[in-house]
Amino acid sequence: MTNTNARTRNVDFDAEMNFRLGVELEGILPFNKNKWSMFIEPTFHSYSSEKQTEPTAFNSNTSLATVDYKSIEIPMGFRHYMFLNDNAKLFANVGYVVDIPLNASVAYESNFGTTRIEFGSNGSFVFGVGFKYNNKIGIEARYIGKREIFGNGAFVSYFSDYQGYSLIFGYTLF
């Protein structure tokens, strides 16, 4: 995260591995030999981290930045299947993810007190490739593109570079 007005608020939080929990609804489209589908996948995810900000040449003050980011991500899009045999198929998908923060914020704690900034809602594109076996077990690698987590525009001097990679294991119930 960067702040164009106060460089002492710039902080680079570490990448971390987290678990997420979600459910996917998929509808197979009845054309082109059932090779196309639409999906929507509401998912809860959480990220927390702390980092000491760096002093600058003009300001030796530092602060402890704490991020608490919980949200519901809702990826939705289209999937194309490539059948290998009767039991195995590869797929590729593309879509858009809408992010709905749940009490998500970053707090800067310094000698001058604590400043808390709430995150806004925004979205980005998603791309994924995967494999499904016997229409029951699946694995997917997904890239979630960069998005601005200060999406509501309330904090015009704050910017973020938030993106993610997911390895998704799935089991089909119905």
Side-chain angles (χ1 to χ4, degrees):
M1 296 180 346
T2 59
N3 183 310
T4 56
N5 293 334
R7 293 182 191 252
T8 56
R9 296 285 173 100
N10 294 351
V11 62
D12 186 11
F13 290 105
D14 296 328
E16 294 182 13
M17 187 183 315
N18 291 311
F19 289 98
R20 19 179 260 165
L21 183 63
V23 61
E24 180 182 85
L25 303 171
E26 180 180 27
I28 304 295
L29 300 175
F31 58 85
N32 198 15
K33 299 180 183 178
N34 296 334
K35 289 184 177 183
W36 289 93
S37 70
M38 294 174 51
F39 69 90
I40 185 167
E41 183 185 332
T43 305
F44 172 79
H45 82 95
S46 175
Y47 172 83
S48 298
S49 187
E50 282 186 348
K51 194 110 183 219
Q52 192 74 30
T53 61
E54 298 292 327
T56 66
F58 304 105
N59 189 341
S60 63
N61 294 327
T62 63
S63 61
L64 179 65
T66 305
V67 65
D68 184 22
Y69 188 46
K70 293 176 180 69
S71 74
I72 302 291
E73 287 185 338
I74 307 173
M76 57 191 107
F78 294 95
R79 181 170 291 146
H80 179 70
Y81 286 102
M82 294 150 277
F83 298 102
L84 301 174
N85 59 41
D86 288 343
N87 294 324
K89 54 189 169 182
L90 298 174
F91 63 86
N93 56 39
V94 62
Y96 190 77
V97 62
V98 175
D99 187 57
I100 303 167
L102 306 171
N103 296 324
S105 65
V106 62
Y108 294 93
E109 186 178 329
S110 68
N111 295 339
F112 305 109
T114 301
T115 303
R116 182 172 306 281
I117 300 163
E118 300 291 323
F119 294 144
S121 180
N122 211 335
S124 68
F125 288 97
V126 296
F127 305 96
V129 293
F131 174 78
K132 203 168 209 181
Y133 181 73
N134 210 21
N135 281 332
K136 287 289 183 189
I137 300 170
I139 186 169
E140 178 185 350
R142 185 180 290 172
Y143 169 71
I144 301 170
K146 293 181 183 179
R147 69 175 174 248
E148 181 58 58
I149 57 176
F150 298 104
N152 57 7
F155 303 99
V156 294
S157 61
Y158 283 91
F159 297 94
S160 66
D161 186 13
Y162 181 77
Q163 64 184 340
Y165 300 93
S166 296
L167 184 60
I168 302 166
F169 297 99
Y171 183 79
T172 303
L173 296 175
F174 306 107

